[in-house]
Amino acid sequence: MNNIIQNFLKILIPCLFLTLGISIFCYPMFLNFDNLAGDYFDARYINYVLEHGFLWLNQVEPHQNFWDMPIFYPNKNTLAFGDVMLGAMIFYSPIRFFIKNPLTCFQVFYVLALMLNFLSFYFLSKKVFKLNNLYSSFAAYFFTFCLIRHAQTIHFQLFWQFYMVLSIFCFCLIKNSNTKLKNRLLFLSGVVFLVLQTYTTFYFGWYMFFCLPIAIVTFLLFKNTREILKNWLRNIDKFCYGAVIFGIILLLPLTYHYLLVGSKFAKAEPSSVFHLLFSNSFLNSLFVDYSYFYFPEAMLGVGLITSLLIIIAFFKSKYKFSVLFFMVVLISAFCSKHIYSFLYDNFLPMAAIRALGRYVFVLVPIYSIVLAYFLKNQKSFLISLILMILVIVEQIPNINYFNWTKTGHQQRINRFYGGESCKAVYYKFEENQEYFANNIDVMFYALSKNKYSINGYSGVILDYDESVMDKSCELKIK
C-alpha cells in the first residue's frame, strides 16, 4: 500500500507543479482561445519560420530550399537571418500535420515547449543532482516558469532550452561505473543535443560553447571540483574525440550560412548588471514600480526576495567559490564595457550576439539547482515549504504578453489583395510604429498564396529591393 502511495506521489507532485506553471503562463489563452502568446512581431515571425519548415518538408512551392525562406525576395539564405528553429520543427511538423490551422498549432506548440523544459530539468535534477520528487519539481518549475523566461514570451525561440538541458544531462551521466559503450553513447547523445540546440536557438548553443572554457578553468581552479573533472575525463576515449569531430561537421552548414550574414550585425551595447534586479513580479510591483523597464532585455531578475535567497544559497553551497567564480566571469563578459569590447575585437564569434542580456539564461539552471538544494537543506521542512511558496508566488508576473489574436492576425492578412499572377508580391510601408508588423502581414499573405514576399522581417532588416518591384505586383489594401 505504501509503495502505491509513493508511486502516486512521484507522479502527482511534478504534475501539480507543471499544471500550476502552465496555468500561470497560459491563462489568457485558456480564458479565450483566440489569444496567442507574444505579439504581432517576433512571435509571428517564429510561427512563419516553423511554417516554412513544415512546408519545406512537404516541398511546397516556394519553400523547397530550406535556407532560402521566401522573404526579402530575391535575397537568398534568409533563414540564417534569425534562429533556424530546426529542433523545434521536429515537433511542430507532426502536430501541424494533424492541426490544419497554423495559429492553433502554435498554441499547442507553446504549451509543449513549457512541458519539455519542465520534464527535462526535472529528470536532470532527480538523476544527476539526486534531489527528491518535491525539490526536483521545484527546480524544474523555477527553470521553466521563472520571471526571466516569462519576460521573453515575445521571443518564443528562447523557450526552447531543453536541448541544452538534455546535453548537460547526458554529459553528467558519464561515470566510471558505466560500461564503456554506455559512456560513449551518452557522450555522442550530448554532442547531438548540443548541435540541435544550436540549430534551434542559436543563442543557447553559442552560450554553451562560450561557457565551456570558463567551466573548465573553474573546475581546475578549485580542489573539490578538480577531482570531479579528473574522474570524468578518465571516461573519455578516442570515440568521444570522434564524436566531437562529428558534431563540428554537423555544425559546418550552420556556421557557413551564419557567416554569410554575420557582417550585417552591428556591435551591441553591454548589458547592465543592475538589470538582474528588475522583474515584472506582481509581488514586487506592490512595493516597487518597475514599469519603465518592461522590455525583455532589461527584465533579467527573478524578484527581490528570490534574489536574496539565491545569494544566501550560493554562500551556503558546498561549491560556492567555483559557482561564484563562474558567474562573475560570465556576467563580466557581457556587462563590463571594457571586457566585452576586448572580446568583441579579438573573438570573432562575439559579433554574432546582439542581445547581450540573454546570458542570464545560463544562470537560470544554476539558480534552480542552488535554490532547490538550499531549500532541501533547511532543518525545518515547514520553513523550506514557506520559502518555496514565497519563491513561487514571487514568480507570478504582473503583466501578460498575449498581445495578438487569431482574429486580429487574419484581419490584418485579409486587408490585402492583388498580385495573383506574380511570383513575388510586396507593399511599401512608411516607417512608423506598425512598420515591422505590416511587413510580417505581407509575409503571411504571400505564404497563403504560395508566393515570395519582397517584404520581410528577421534579425536582419533589409531595405526593399527596388529592382524587383514590378508595379503590377504591388498589393492593394482594402
Side-chain angles (χ1 to χ4, degrees):
M1 186 66 179
N2 287 336
N3 287 337
I4 295 174
I5 294 174
Q6 288 177 355
N7 290 332
F8 176 71
L9 289 175
K10 283 181 182 179
I11 299 172
L12 178 64
I13 292 173
C15 284
L16 288 175
F17 274 89
L18 179 58
T19 302
L20 175 62
I22 289 176
S23 299
I24 292 172
F25 263 55
C26 302
Y27 77 89
M29 183 173 74
F30 294 152
L31 293 175
N32 182 350
F33 283 103
D34 198 39
N35 293 322
L36 292 124
D39 55 24
Y40 286 103
F41 301 92
D42 290 75
R44 282 205 301 167
Y45 171 72
I46 293 299
N47 193 195
Y48 184 95
V49 172
L50 295 170
E51 272 297 291
H52 167 69
F54 173 71
L55 296 172
W56 168 71
L57 284 172
N58 291 279
Q59 285 297 286
V60 176
E61 189 179 359
H63 298 267
Q64 296 98 323
N65 191 315
F66 181 72
W67 290 100
D68 296 337
M69 196 161 61
I71 62 174
F72 290 124
Y73 181 81
N75 287 279
K76 302 290 186 181
N77 196 37
T78 49
L79 183 60
F81 289 0
D83 288 293
V84 176
M85 298 299 291
L86 178 63
M89 292 174 186
I90 293 171
F91 292 91
Y92 180 85
S93 296
I95 298 171
R96 179 69 175 82
F97 181 80
F98 293 102
I99 300 176
K100 302 307 178 184
N101 186 331
L103 302 186
T104 302
C105 186
F106 190 73
Q107 290 175 311
V108 174
F109 201 57
Y110 175 75
V111 177
L112 177 64
L114 297 172
M115 293 176 66
L116 291 171
N117 278 337
F118 182 91
L119 292 172
S120 62
F121 206 84
Y122 171 80
F123 286 109
L124 175 73
S125 304
K126 194 172 178 64
K127 300 298 183 182
V128 173
F129 294 98
K130 306 302 180 183
L131 292 165
N132 65 20
N133 268 353
L134 176 62
Y135 296 108
S136 293
S137 299
F138 170 77
Y141 181 93
F142 191 85
F143 172 77
T144 308
F145 303 109
C146 68
L147 292 167
I148 295 169
R149 200 173 307 278
H150 184 270
Q152 293 285 357
T153 300
I154 62 173
H155 298 131
F156 183 58
Q157 65 272 33
L158 299 180
F159 277 50
W160 286 80
Q161 198 174 358
F162 76 95
Y163 283 122
M164 176 193 289
V165 177
L166 291 177
S167 179
I168 295 170
F169 187 33
C170 290
F171 288 134
C172 287
L173 287 179
I174 295 173
K175 53 188 177 182
N176 297 331
S177 58
N178 293 340
T179 64
K180 185 177 289 188
L181 176 61
K182 183 176 181 179
N183 281 335
R184 287 176 173 179
L185 290 175
L186 285 169
F187 192 92
L188 178 61
S189 299
V191 169
V192 171
F193 285 130
L194 173 54
V195 170
L196 274 171
Q197 182 66 83
T198 311
Y199 269 97
T200 304
T201 306
F202 176 75
Y203 273 82
F204 292 156
W206 189 97
Y207 282 129
M208 288 188 74
F209 286 109
F210 181 82
C211 289
L212 181 60
I214 303 175
I216 292 172
V217 171
T218 302
F219 271 93
L220 291 174
L221 276 178
F222 302 95
K223 185 178 179 180
N224 56 353
T225 52
R226 196 180 305 132
E227 289 303 314
I228 295 173
L229 181 61
K230 285 181 180 178
N231 289 332
W232 188 84
L233 287 173
R234 290 191 183 100
N235 300 291
I236 304 305
D237 57 16
K238 291 181 180 179
F239 176 88
C240 298
Y241 299 137
V244 171
I245 295 171
F246 175 66
I248 293 171
I249 292 171
L250 290 177
L251 285 170
L252 286 177
L254 180 70
T255 305
Y256 169 74
H257 285 280
Y258 268 27
L259 286 175
L260 290 178
V261 298
S263 61
K264 295 180 171 63
F265 294 116
K267 184 178 180 180
E269 286 296 319
S271 181
S272 170
V273 69
F274 293 107
H275 288 167
L276 292 170
L277 299 175
F278 304 150
S279 72
N280 62 347
S281 168
F282 172 74
L283 186 60
N284 290 180
S285 71
L286 298 176
F287 309 100
V288 185
D289 182 12
Y290 286 142
S291 58
Y292 177 77
F293 301 100
Y294 279 178
F295 56 96
E297 307 311 328
M299 307 295 286
L300 307 184
V302 290
L304 298 177
I305 299 171
T306 303
S307 297
L308 179 61
L309 288 176
I310 289 172
I311 292 170
I312 297 171
F314 279 143
F315 286 100
K316 292 281 187 179
S317 169
K318 178 182 177 181
Y319 301 101
K320 55 179 173 290
F321 295 115
S322 52
V323 173
L324 289 171
F325 175 82
F326 176 85
M327 289 182 59
V328 168
V329 173
L330 178 66
I331 293 171
S332 299
F334 297 98
C335 294
S336 168
K337 183 177 182 180
H338 299 295
I339 295 175
Y340 169 67
S341 294
F342 174 80
L343 290 171
Y344 185 89
D345 294 335
N346 297 279
F347 181 54
L348 180 62
M350 205 73 179
I353 298 297
R354 296 175 298 115
L356 299 187
R358 293 177 186 177
Y359 76 88
V360 75
F361 282 98
V362 178
L363 303 182
V364 171
I366 300 174
Y367 290 169
S368 305
I369 295 298
V370 170
L371 260 179
Y373 265 108
F374 175 69
L375 296 176
K376 173 180 174 290
N377 292 332
Q378 294 301 306
K379 292 180 180 179
S380 167
F381 177 72
L382 179 61
I383 292 175
S384 176
L385 194 60
I386 291 171
L387 291 177
M388 186 184 299
I389 293 171
L390 188 57
V391 170
I392 290 172
V393 169
E394 195 170 31
Q395 300 314 299
I396 298 174
N398 187 36
I399 56 177
N400 74 74
Y401 293 99
F402 281 70
N403 297 326
W404 63 303
T405 64
K406 296 178 186 178
T407 303
H409 168 80
Q410 200 57 52
Q411 287 174 346
R412 296 179 72 99
I413 308 308
N414 290 344
R415 62 189 171 133
F416 297 103
Y417 67 96
E420 284 79 6
S421 60
C422 298
K423 178 181 180 180
V425 296
Y426 70 96
Y427 191 93
K428 292 186 71 173
F429 296 101
E430 294 182 4
E431 294 193 17
N432 54 28
Q433 191 174 1
E434 284 288 299
Y435 177 74
F436 295 127
N438 285 332
N439 278 284
I440 297 175
D441 294 339
V442 175
M443 287 166 49
F444 272 96
Y445 175 84
L447 180 75
S448 68
K449 303 295 182 181
N450 294 331
K451 298 183 184 300
Y452 287 88
S453 168
I454 295 174
N455 299 69
Y457 176 87
S458 68
V460 177
I461 303 298
L462 303 179
D463 293 329
Y464 300 125
D465 190 334
E466 303 280 352
S467 65
V468 294
M469 285 185 166
D470 187 331
K471 191 64 180 176
S472 65
C473 295
E474 182 174 10
L475 298 177
K476 298 177 178 59
I477 294 182
K478 297 175 184 177

